[in-house]
Amino acid sequence: MWNWEARHETETERLDRNWNSLIQETRVVQTGVQLLTGFLMILPFQSRFDMLTDPMRVLYLVTVSASIGATVFLVAPVSAHRILFRRHRLRAVVESAHKFGLVGLALLGVALTGVVVLIFDVVAGTIVGVAAGLLFAALFAVVWGLLPWLQRRRGVGDDTNIDAPQ
């Protein structure tokens, strides 16, 4: 077993380490996504919001929905931990937190892409807004998805595969 050979840690110690890593990662994005959601929620009450076209209003609703969804999924590990606390269900908490984190990051990417389109559309026009949205969507996909996936595929024997299943 890799974790025992390389780290001399038990399954429980590995789960504890994984949980701590997940929580630290979640802390990084939780505040940002909550601020983004808050700012998006106040936009309809601004005087210039009436300038948005109907398609941009739909995009706004998709964006705010994605941001709220990201908030839900990125905060979900805390709820799971509280409910399952002292129930000896650490594996379930870690596994669900991992899945919640992936969904939350995907929704955050959608929300940020929507924000980019909205801002560029208002400042520079629809064509520039769509182009910027496509550019940033591709950037999110490459940096948040493709590059880590390629690192993961390098295989056993390098440090990028520390938590690979045994």
Side-chain angles (χ1 to χ4, degrees):
M1 179 180 225
W2 188 93
N3 286 314
W4 178 252
E5 292 171 11
R7 293 181 181 256
H8 303 290
E9 66 183 357
T10 65
E11 178 72 9
T12 302
E13 289 169 333
R14 183 184 67 83
L15 288 170
D16 286 340
R17 179 176 51 79
N18 289 169
W19 172 250
N20 287 330
S21 292
L22 284 163
I23 288 301
Q24 286 300 97
E25 293 164 5
T26 302
R27 284 183 182 137
V28 170
V29 294
Q30 272 181 347
T31 302
V33 76
Q34 289 169 340
L35 285 170
L36 175 63
T37 301
F39 286 129
L40 285 168
M41 290 176 130
I42 64 169
L43 279 181
F45 304 103
Q46 305 303 310
S47 60
R48 291 187 63 189
F49 190 80
D50 292 338
M51 294 175 49
L52 291 181
T53 62
D54 286 342
M56 286 298 112
R57 288 174 187 263
V58 170
L59 177 61
Y60 165 77
L61 291 173
V62 168
T63 301
V64 77
S65 296
S67 189
I68 292 168
T71 301
V72 168
F73 279 96
L74 292 170
V75 174
V78 176
S79 175
H81 185 260
R82 286 294 89 207
I83 291 171
L84 296 173
F85 185 67
R86 294 187 177 171
R87 302 279 182 208
H88 307 288
R89 302 287 308 275
L90 186 56
R91 177 184 303 282
V93 171
V94 169
E95 289 173 0
S96 65
H98 167 70
K99 292 172 186 168
F100 291 152
L102 290 174
V103 173
L105 285 174
L107 288 170
L108 178 58
V110 169
L112 289 171
T113 300
V115 166
V116 166
V117 174
L118 287 167
I119 291 171
F120 277 74
D121 179 77
V122 168
V123 173
T126 302
I127 293 173
V128 175
V130 170
L134 291 172
L135 175 71
F136 279 100
L139 182 64
F140 294 138
V142 168
V143 174
W144 291 1
L146 181 62
L147 291 177
W149 181 78
L150 290 172
Q151 289 174 335
R152 181 179 179 151
R153 291 189 44 99
R154 284 186 190 162
V156 177
D158 78 33
D159 288 343
T160 61
N161 203 12
I162 288 173
D163 293 319
Q166 305 306 316

